[in-house]
Amino acid sequence: MTPIFGRGPSLQFRLFIAVMVSASLMLADSRLNAFSDIRYLLNSFVSPIHYAANLPRTMFNGMYERFNSRNTLMLENQRLKQEMFVQNSNLLLMEQLKQENSRLRNLLGSPFIRDEKKMVTEVMAVDSAPYTHQVMIDKGSVDGVYEGQPVISDKGIVGQINYVGAHNSRVLLLTDANNAIPVQVVRNDIRVIASGKGHLDMMQLEHIPTNTDLEVGDLLVSSGLGGRYPEGYPVGYISNIDNDNKRPFASIDLETTVEFDKLRYLLLVWPTGSELTPKEMSDGK
């Protein structure tokens, strides 16, 4: 019986033929470059498949790089903002220190300060009572402070000590309604009394006859009478004169030279010739 399908060459023979053909083709391609065009066409057909297969990886890498770049930029931006904030705060502090240094230099180099022994002090607190003008300073009895001691600034008379603690004291400001100071007019040496009226920038002259030679703009300084305040320190300028013929005395307002709402550094003054303790000398220069 004849089989339907005839037998072909054996598997070994077919393998040998395939190996020989492959070797011949490789030899021909390596020696004669016979299949370069075919290889080029095959690579051209296969390259879209390579791009498609590599697309997810490329997209992931791009997103990862963008995320890292954005995150890095955000962190860098945050760091720069923090550094800028710190630098700005340092600049503010430097500006404040510069202003404090300028105030201290003005205070110690004020032309109103003469031979009196003096000590720099700083305002610690301000009395919050509406009709009481007092401030607390950081010097007390251990520094040689005493009740009634005059207190000045680089602009003039500030007030006097009315309470002394061990390490702090209270200053009664000139503008307090319970305070008064003997003054004299620089222009003509007329002596009068200036008293507080409860306003931080205003005082008043008391019991001044209407015919007294006073003018708006006159500078009044401490006269030294009574021995409480040293002589020659500015107190204020006459800002208003109200002469009413129906009254025996004129109403005169005085604008203070000291800005009492901006007090920070003050000077405690000892009369010339007084003795200070060693601690006072070291603190008070």
Side-chain angles (χ1 to χ4, degrees), residues 134-192:
Q134 300 183 24
V135 296
M136 188 72 71
I137 59 174
D138 61 352
K139 294 293 186 292
S141 59
V142 297
D143 304 290
V145 180
Y146 60 91
E147 289 190 13
Q149 183 173 9
V151 181
I152 67 173
S153 74
D154 58 326
K155 297 184 182 299
I157 298 288
V158 172
Q160 60 177 306
I161 300 294
N162 68 339
Y163 168 80
V164 179
H167 300 284
N168 53 53
S169 303
R170 191 165 55 234
V171 180
L172 182 67
L173 304 182
L174 284 183
T175 54
D176 190 280
N178 296 317
N179 204 357
I181 178 175
V183 295
Q184 65 183 26
V185 182
V186 173
R187 180 173 57 87
N188 53 20
D189 291 334
I190 292 178
R191 289 183 172 87
V192 291

Side-chain angles (χ1 to χ4, degrees), residues 197-233:
K197 54 185 301 184
H199 299 287
L200 279 177
D201 58 349
M202 298 294 295
M203 298 181 69
Q204 61 185 359
L205 302 183
E206 297 181 337
H207 311 299
I208 307 300
T210 55
N211 60 351
T212 304
D213 183 16
L214 295 177
E215 298 177 357
V216 173
D218 280 343
L219 172 64
L220 281 76
V221 299
S222 54
S223 65
L225 296 178
R228 177 60 55 87
Y229 296 99
E231 181 182 359
Y233 287 86

Side-chain angles (χ1 to χ4, degrees), residues 76-94:
E76 183 70 13
N77 186 39
Q78 184 178 4
R79 184 182 65 82
L80 291 175
K81 284 183 177 180
Q82 292 177 354
E83 289 183 358
M84 185 175 66
F85 182 77
V86 173
Q87 294 298 330
N88 288 337
S89 64
N90 290 337
L91 288 176
L92 291 176
L93 180 60
M94 290 180 65

